[in-house]
Structures are given as C-alpha cells and as structure tokens.
Amino acid sequence: MREFIVEADGGSRGNPGPAGYGSVVRDAASGQTLAERAEYIGVATNNVAEYRGLVAGLRAAHELDASASVHVRMDSKLVIEQMSGRWKIKHPSMKPLAAEAATVFPPGQVTYEWIPRERNKHADRLANEAMDAGGRGEEWTPSASRAELDATASAAPEPSGPPGDAAAGAARARAALADVRAARTVSGTTAPTVSGTTAPTASGAPAEPTREAVPASDAAPASGAAWADSGGAVSGGAATSAGTSGAVGAAVVDTGAAPAQTGAAPAQTGAAPSETSAPGWGSAPDLGAPATFVLLRHGETPLTPQKRFSGSGGTDPALSDIGREQAERVAAALARRGTIQHIVASPLARTRETAGIVAARLGLEVTVEDGLRETDFGAWEGLTFAEVRERHPEDLNAWLASPDAAPTGGGESFAATATRVAAARDKLIAAYAGRTVLLVTHVTPIKTLLRLALGAPPESLFRMELSAASLSVVAYYADGNASVRLFNDTGHLR
C-alpha cells in the first residue's frame, strides 16, 4: 500500500476577504512532492479556505492512488479536530466541505495531525500564490510556482538533499521559469491585469492572510468524542534521494572505512537467521503500512577521524564537537521531513547523545534497545587497522575470511552480531508495526539490517560505506518482505 502525506492550508485577506488555498501531496517514504494544488476562491473566510485546501489535497492524492493510506497535516487546529471527530461542526459553510472531505477516501484510510505553522510553509506559500494570482485577475499555474523552492530555502539554509535531488531540481526549474516571466513583465512583454489587486502592505508585498479565531460554537469538543491519538502510520521520513556513497572497502572501524579484503570471500556459514519470505515487487494491498526503520548512524567521536575500532567493549566515547553539530543537522532535516514517530537508540554514549539531540528537536522520547549496540571488538578496541595487522595478523586474517571468527581477546563475531541484531529487529517490528521509527545505532548493526533486508552474503559488510550521521531506510511488511528505500544519505550534512 502506498502512503501519502497531504499538507494543506488556506488564507483570507480580510476574513472574510479575498481567499485562496494550497495543498501538497508528498510520498511518505521519500518526502518527494508528487502534486501541488492551489486556487483563488474569491471572498471567503480563512476556515472555509482551509477546508477547500483539504478537499483539494485529498482529491489530488486520490487521483494518484485511490488505495493509498493518507496522513493529513495542517496548522488549523479547528479543521484537524473537526475531521478527527473530536470537535463538532456547526458553521453552515464548513459542514458540506467537511462532509465532502470525508468521502474522498474510505473511512480508516485517512489520519489527521496538527502541525505548527512553520512546518506547513509549502502549502502556505501555495495559498498566498493563489491569492496573489487572483488579485491580478489570473489563475494560479504550477509552472510559475516558487512555493516549494521558497519553503525549502526558508526552512533550511543548507541543501536538503544531494546533487541531483529530483524535488529540489524541479523547484529550481520552476523558479527559473518564474524569473523569466517576471523579467518579461518588467520589460513590458506581458501585461497582467491589475484591477482588483489586493492592497499592498507598507513594504509593498501583498498582505498576509489573517488567521481566523476559532468560533466558540465550533471549538467545543463533541460530546463523547474519542481523544485517542489520531496520528496514523506515516512510513518513510528519510531524505529525498538515494545515498551518496557506495565505495567498496567500507567499514567496521569507527569511521566506516576499512581496507580491502586480503583473503578469499568469506563463506556464508554462521550468517544470521535467513529471511524466509520470497522476494517480490511489493506487499499485497491488504498488508497495511509497513514498519519503517530510519537508520541513523551516530555523529563523529574523537576516534572517528583517527579510524580506530570503536565497538561496545571499549572506552564508550562521547560525541566530538563535530559530531554534535552533525546531530543538530540531522535533527533539523528530520524535523523538516516530519515523519518520525518514535526514537530507539543503542545504549552506548555516542548513540544516546545523538538520539537526545534529535529527540529534543522533534519533541519525542528515546527508548534504549541493547540489541542495537555495536560489535565488541575485543582487544582491537581503540586500535587502527594497521595496528591490529601488526599485533594480531592471524586473528585479523581469520576475521576477514569468516563471519564466525571473533576479534582477539573474546570479541564478538559478525555472525553473533547478526543474530543479536536480527532478534532486536524482530522485536521492534512487532512493537512498531505500521509506524516510522528512528533507530540511532552503529556501523555494524545498520549494515547488518541492510544486508539481511537484501538477502546479501556476510562479505557484503566489507563492501558498504556508512558515514557518520548518515541516514538509511528499510521498510518491513507484514508478510516478512523488506524493502531498502535509502542508503547512506548525507545530504543534510552539506
């Protein structure tokens, strides 16, 4: 089942006054914009415009996939509470709009969530563009829209994705077209209608729409209404494009970088429990939303740039200043995406600190899961690869050749790590079915989760690069199938 996020807004310059709405449909997993809707609706109230935006957004999502699950996010407390059934609808202009919105998708396929206005900037800008176009006597057109570009720029000064990001590229293209049209207007090539234009503010910009106070008759909760959490399964929530690096020779030392293998490819004996479900293109429509794990590797520690083994049996270093800055950046990126519902972290200091920074930004609690801890590298803890090669050459060669071999001094083999991680995975899938969960963990657990999802052999651990504070995503469906949706994305760090 596909999952969409619909963001909608409406505004009125006068309340009632010239009004318009804007709606955005996003893919829940990638955050990519799939559709935009905006329209000038003449003289109306703010709340009516918001409802019109909701209806337009739901219809746009329905056109994309009528069987999809939809999570609506708006900054109108009134609309969210009324559509969730917790507040009565008494205003005569809003009753038919609410009824229309409720019939676009079958009951149970749509959930509602209130968000702060600053997290609804894309839809807000679309509504303002529609009102501006109406003031000029024109219709809003998607080709001239700058809403996505402006919302992204105001939300984050740093790029929101790696080079080639489709959503950002499309927004830039629309902005370029808009700039061309603006230049033609200045030069006299185009003569837009100016009659009926909204009175500008002192700065010369169109007036911002007013926010209508909630009428007392519509603000009262419905008698006997349920107050249960209305948040539905919003899968995904990772960055918008595929990961940025896939270099061969990556990583079990703290940086994620390791030398190339020196022996034959390890045998697959001792691998974690195998995935039993048959591969396929996707889940059946009736399987429901998957459990989606957004895998975040912790930020840098002092050992990271030194390329030293840093597992669960060493000094348990905290984040460095760079690592804390990385955690702040990924927290900002996840806040903009807005799809994380729970946070689970490894018990080690660097993951708990990273998770705490993200949790503070998202307003969530952190749950600790011991199964997500890094491999114990035994006597190799704190050493570089070259130092291990010099001191324990035979043990290192055996470790590189077989997932059953453990590091010197009673460390943990990759086979043992995989068994532990697979058990933690199954536990978390059962606990968070249909939810989107941020797992803050380490190189080996993340690579292991990706390897098991892909059905790849144990030696694939040496052929993935995983950067500090990178994001990867795996979705787990009810039939046992898994889908890797993102790998080693570091766009939020640039």
Side-chain angles (χ1 to χ4, degrees):
M1 177 184 292
R2 297 184 71 184
E3 299 141 24
F4 297 141
I5 293 174
V6 170
E7 295 171 347
D9 200 10
S12 172
R13 294 169 177 170
N15 201 33
Y21 67 76
S23 306
V24 187
V25 182
R26 303 185 191 279
D27 178 81
S30 68
Q32 181 181 359
T33 297
L34 303 177
E36 292 177 322
R37 298 289 186 271
E39 184 183 4
Y40 174 72
I41 60 174
V43 176
T45 65
N46 186 70
N47 292 146
V48 167
E50 290 170 336
Y51 262 109
R52 291 283 299 273
L54 170 62
V55 171
L58 289 173
R59 293 201 177 283
H62 191 273
E63 291 172 7
L64 291 168
D65 189 342
S67 66
S69 64
V70 179
H71 187 66
V72 175
R73 305 192 307 189
M74 298 179 67
D75 60 76
S76 170
K77 187 74 171 175
L78 179 72
V79 174
I80 293 300
E81 294 299 322
Q82 289 180 341
M83 291 304 299
S84 299
R86 295 188 287 264
W87 289 4
K88 292 181 179 179
I89 306 173
K90 296 184 178 180
H91 197 285
S93 297
M94 288 187 277
K95 281 185 177 181
L97 292 171
E100 182 180 359
T103 60
V104 177
F105 283 91
Q109 235 172 282
V110 182
T111 55
Y112 292 88
E113 176 190 5
W114 177 87
I115 58 174
R117 186 180 182 187
E118 59 268 17
R119 289 176 56 191
N120 202 28
K121 290 183 177 180
H122 191 163
D124 176 79
R125 279 163 170 74
L126 286 171
N128 275 283
E129 286 183 351
M131 286 183 279
D132 291 342
R136 297 191 299 269
E138 303 171 355
E139 290 186 359
W140 177 86
T141 57
S143 61
S145 176
R146 297 177 58 102
E148 183 174 18
L149 181 68
D150 292 345
T152 302
S154 65
E158 72 274 9
S160 61
D165 175 67
R172 284 193 291 272
R174 287 197 299 271
L177 290 172
D179 290 339
V180 170
R181 289 182 175 86
R184 288 175 178 171
T185 300
V186 171
S187 65
T189 306
T190 304
T193 304
V194 296
S195 59
T197 303
T198 306
T201 61
S203 63
E208 284 291 316
T210 59
R211 294 280 164 173
E212 182 178 2
V214 177
S217 61
D218 286 314
S223 175
W227 288 90
D229 178 18
S230 63
V234 188
S235 295
T240 54
S241 64
T244 58
S245 178
V248 174
V252 291
V253 292
D254 194 82
T255 60
Q261 293 181 205
T262 57
Q268 295 190 34
T269 59
S274 62
E275 304 298 326
T276 57
S277 26
W281 289 105
S283 64
D286 59 349
L287 290 176
T292 302
F293 292 171
V294 181
L295 310 174
L296 169 61
R297 187 192 168 197
H298 60 79
E300 283 190 13
T301 75
L303 299 182
T304 304
Q306 299 175 27
K307 301 183 179 179
R308 297 183 180 275
F309 283 92
S310 182
S312 58
T315 58
D316 195 15
L319 296 180
S320 63
D321 289 341
I322 291 176
R324 281 184 282 274
E325 181 180 352
Q326 290 172 333
E328 293 286 356
R329 284 179 175 267
V330 74
L334 292 171
R336 289 194 299 273
R337 198 65 64 200
T339 53
I340 299 299
Q341 296 169 296
H342 308 276
I343 301 176
V344 180
S346 151
L348 300 185
R350 52 194 181 273
T351 45
R352 286 189 289 107
E353 188 175 0
T354 302
I357 290 171
V358 176
R361 184 67 176 262
L362 301 185
L364 298 173
E365 299 293 328
V366 178
T367 300
V368 174
E369 169 54 52
D370 186 66
L372 296 178
R373 69 184 186 276
E374 180 59 285
T375 300
D376 183 346
F377 293 112
W380 302 352
E381 294 279 359
L383 301 180
T384 65
F385 189 88
E387 289 170 339
V388 173
R389 167 71 71 192
E390 180 181 354
R391 300 180 192 184
H392 310 284
E394 293 183 2
D395 290 346
L396 180 61
N397 287 338
W399 180 74
L400 290 171
S402 172
D404 291 314
T408 308
E412 188 179 22
S413 70
F414 279 158
T417 299
T419 300
R420 165 169 57 82
V421 170
R425 173 204 62 191
D426 294 344
K427 173 183 173 182
L428 294 171
I429 289 173
Y432 298 106
R435 310 294 281 176
T436 298
V437 188
L438 180 70
L439 305 188
V440 187
T441 179
H442 310 265
V443 170
T444 311
I446 293 175
K447 288 186 177 183
T448 299
L449 289 168
L450 293 166
R451 178 181 80 76
L452 295 176
L454 293 169
E459 60 264 30
S460 62
L461 292 177
F462 294 98
R463 298 173 183 173
M464 291 184 272
E465 179 172 340
L466 203 69
S467 305
S470 63
L471 290 168
S472 302
V473 178
V474 183
Y476 298 92
Y477 292 88
D479 64 352
N481 277 305
S483 173
V484 175
R485 298 183 174 182
L486 188 73
F487 172 65
N488 196 39
D489 180 25
T490 56
H492 48 277
L493 302 179
R494 294 196 296 274

